[in-house]
């Protein structure tokens, strides 16, 4: 049956790769959104004929409205527009490919409207995993992971046959600064940090990969998606990004998912599951891959990992504080306002300074996020 899809953040790395695989699946696009890349959004809208589009930025939305004046596509703006695209566009499934916790409210609205979620936007689960997962449960919607590691785990878990998972092995590329000590990373520039060895992604997640905060965020994401305590999620550095993650069972058997590093496969699977259909991604030759290497992470060089583990074990508002502080600090680093190792230091300071709240509502999440950003931005 033709699936109706809304793509939030369709102009980004995940968004454009989602558009790229559409011809492989039976889908109709009902909504597209951007922050301000309206030229690309216009192009996508003319090709895909969605019912509605949204440019988050108000002046970008005004321009987009003029560009699309000869069509019957509704042009929206702001958080209300993003929420409408998620919840009122008639989608069966919403691809959340916006970057940052800005995805939280539209994701919650989509869940409450009974839409399945193809979740790329990890910040949403980091900030409010408990609330998102219980809403998904309550409204009977599926959260299908797009993040490559979580898609791998999702695929491995299907070998469980009802048995519990003993442990998740969460693989990490190690990023561009693998093997470096913290002193060597102090002077690293924006360009050095943006040069990821295996994946081409948006700027924010690329910096998160360099600090390894990305793996910390993914640990929290995995904790919520698979309902495991953080102690049962082991981070393993795997430079080749071929083993996308693995799951260990009670008997010690480890089931892994392998493939070339290409997000189009996990994106496509989230949209076609439980079916599998041919995918554009080139097939992997194990003989060509030849060698797979694995290392324990260096927790001293990458303090973001411990900050995330700490936030994971406390839960409550710590995910929102960790994430809000990190988003703000990464923004400062990308604007050359702070150094590379200051990112984790600022996150640590926010976690130390903002009083811990255990039982949280959505408003507490928003408040913790705001407080964390204010502390980091000074
Ligand atoms: P990106 O920066 O390339 O794209 C982000 C998209 O969100 C763009 O369409 C942009 O216009 C939109 N956007 C940005 N700021 C916005 C705002 N304030 N309000 C509304 N829309 C906004 O990012 P990306 O690399 O595609 O990552 C998207 C999400 O997917 C992130 O949460 C990231 O962690 C996750 N993810 C990405 C990859 C990857 O390979 N790129 C892999 C796994 C997970
Ligand atoms: Mg990932």
């Amino acid at each position: 049956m033709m699936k109706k899809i809304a793509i939030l953040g369709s102009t980004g790395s995940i968004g454009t790769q989602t558009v790229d695989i559409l011809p492989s699946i039976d889908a109709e696009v009902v909504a597209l959104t951007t922050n301000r890349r309206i030229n690309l959004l216009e192009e996508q809208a003319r090709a895909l004929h969605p019912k509605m589009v949204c440019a988050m930025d108000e002046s970008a939305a005004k321009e987009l409205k003029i560009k699309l004046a000869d069509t019957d596509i509704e042009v929206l703006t702001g958080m209300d527009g993003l929420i409408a695209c998620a919840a009122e566009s008639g989608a069966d499934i919403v691809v959340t490919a916006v970057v940052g916790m800005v995805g939280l409210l539209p994701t919650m609205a989509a869940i409450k409207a009974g839409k399945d979620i193809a979740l790329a936007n990890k910040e949403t689960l980091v900030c409010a995993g408990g609330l998102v997962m219980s809403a998904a449960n309550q409204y009977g919607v599926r959260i299908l992971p797009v993040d490559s590691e979580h898609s791998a785990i999702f695929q491995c878990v299907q070998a469980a046959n009802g048995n519990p998972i003993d442990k998740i092995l969460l693989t990490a590329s190690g990023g561009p600064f693998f093997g470096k000590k913290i002193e060597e990373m102090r002077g690293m520039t924006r360009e050095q940090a943006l040069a990821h060895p295996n994946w081409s992604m948006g700027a924010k997640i690329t910096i998160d990969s360099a600090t390894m905060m990305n793996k910390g965020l993914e640990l929290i994401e995995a904790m919520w998606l698979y309902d495991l305590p953080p102690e049962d999620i082991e981070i393993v550095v795997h430079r080749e990004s071929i083993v996308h993650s693995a799951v260990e069972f009670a008997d010690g058997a480890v089931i892994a998912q392998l493939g070339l590093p290409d997000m189009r496969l996990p994106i496509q699977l989230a949209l076609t599951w439980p079916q599998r259909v041919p995918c554009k991604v080139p097939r992997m030759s194990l003989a060509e891959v030849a060698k797979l290497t694995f290392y324990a992470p260096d927790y001293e060089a990458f303090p973001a990992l411990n900050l995330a583990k700490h936030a994971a074990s406390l839960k409550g508002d710590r995910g929102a504080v960790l994430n809000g502080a990190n988003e703000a600090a990464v923004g400062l680093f990308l604007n050359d306002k702070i150094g590379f190792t200051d990112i984790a230091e600022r996150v640590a300071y926010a976690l130390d300074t903002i009083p811990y709240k255990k039982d949280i509502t959505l408003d507490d999440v928003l408040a913790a996020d705001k407080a964390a950003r204010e502390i980091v931005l000074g």
Side-chain angles (χ1 to χ4, degrees):
M1 202 188 73
M2 180 83 94
K3 248 186 203 165
K4 292 188 174 150
I5 303 181
I7 310 173
L8 309 186
S10 62
T11 58
S13 164
I14 294 290
T16 51
Q17 293 180 86
T18 306
V19 171
D20 188 45
I21 56 95
L22 285 175
S24 309
I25 65 178
D26 204 9
E28 176 191 340
V29 171
V30 292
L32 297 167
T33 84
T34 187
N35 189 18
R36 29 178 117 86
R37 288 191 66 187
I38 50 170
N39 289 338
L40 179 56
L41 198 88
E42 181 194 4
E43 205 179 289
Q44 291 178 335
R46 290 196 183 276
L48 300 167
H49 312 290
K51 197 169 134 196
M52 54 177 81
V53 297
C54 172
M56 191 69 177
D57 182 88
E58 208 171 310
S59 61
K62 276 191 189 134
E63 274 185 62
L64 183 62
K65 203 165 187 155
I66 296 168
K67 284 175 180 292
L68 292 174
D70 62 313
T71 71
D72 57 2
I73 301 169
E74 197 179 345
V75 180
L76 306 169
T77 187
M79 184 51 82
D80 290 346
L82 201 56
I83 290 175
C85 285
E88 290 155 31
S89 57
D92 302 311
I93 184 161
V94 179
V95 180
T96 62
V98 295
V99 56
M101 79 86 75
V102 70
L104 175 59
L105 296 179
T107 304
M108 283 301 250
I111 291 171
K112 289 182 181 166
K115 318 290 182 196
D116 285 338
I117 307 291
L119 185 126
N121 179 226
K122 65 188 81 182
E123 292 89 350
T124 287
L125 278 191
V126 171
C127 289
L131 298 169
V132 170
M133 295 311 287
S134 65
N137 204 17
Q138 185 185 344
Y139 290 90
V141 310
R142 284 203 184 94
I143 309 281
L144 295 146
V146 167
D147 210 344
S148 57
E149 296 77 2
H150 305 76
S151 173
I153 298 161
F154 178 73
Q155 295 174 65
C156 298
V157 163
Q158 287 164 46
N161 212 7
N163 290 292
I165 311 170
D166 225 37
K167 190 169 144 184
I168 285 174
L169 300 168
L170 185 69
T171 51
S173 72
F177 302 150
F178 169 75
K180 294 210 184 316
K181 294 290 156 213
I182 198 157
E183 304 75 49
E184 298 174 76
M185 281 187 260
R186 273 189 217 292
M188 289 300 172
T189 63
R190 185 176 182 274
E191 284 61 41
Q192 286 169 307
L194 283 172
H196 196 280
N198 303 348
W199 299 95
S200 155
M201 313 178 284
K204 193 261 174 181
I205 182 175
T206 307
I207 301 303
D208 285 346
S209 300
T211 59
M212 290 197 77
M213 180 60 91
N214 184 50
K215 213 46 56 178
L217 302 179
E218 289 184 354
L219 181 136
I220 300 176
E221 188 184 5
M223 167 180 94
W224 291 120
L225 281 171
Y226 300 103
D227 195 21
L228 271 191
E231 315 77 87
D232 293 345
I233 306 172
E234 182 184 337
I235 297 170
V236 187
V237 176
H238 165 49
R239 294 296 283 158
E240 296 80 12
S241 299
I242 294 290
V243 175
H244 296 307
S245 278
V247 162
E248 190 174 312
F249 294 105
D251 55 3
V254 174
I255 307 287
Q257 187 254 327
L258 282 69
L260 295 177
D262 192 314
M263 289 307 296
R264 290 173 299 178
L265 177 67
I267 294 168
Q268 177 173 305
L269 185 66
L271 293 172
T272 63
W273 189 85
Q275 263 80 49
R276 286 184 185 268
V277 300
C279 184
K280 282 183 158 185
V281 176
R283 298 292 167 106
M284 173 185 63
S285 151
L286 274 179
E288 264 172 44
V289 170
K291 201 171 77 175
L292 299 175
T293 57
F294 300 93
Y295 307 85
D298 182 345
Y299 287 94
E300 252 172 64
F302 298 98
L305 289 173
N306 281 327
L307 297 173
K309 281 191 166 187
H310 169 77
S313 60
L314 287 177
K315 302 192 179 69
D317 67 354
R318 295 296 93 176
V321 171
L322 176 93
N323 180 73
N326 183 59
E327 282 191 35
V330 170
L332 289 177
F333 175 72
L334 283 171
N335 287 304
D336 295 319
K337 298 279 194 277
I338 62 172
F340 182 74
T341 50
D342 296 332
I343 299 174
E345 281 176 27
R346 297 238 175 166
V347 175
Y349 183 68
L351 285 165
D352 279 346
T353 314
I354 299 170
Y356 170 54
K357 191 157 193 204
K358 188 168 188 297
D359 297 313
I360 53 163
T361 62
L362 203 53
D363 283 341
D364 295 323
V365 170
L366 301 176
D369 172 76
K370 185 161 176 269
R373 285 170 199 267
E374 279 169 7
I375 283 197
V376 169
L377 299 175

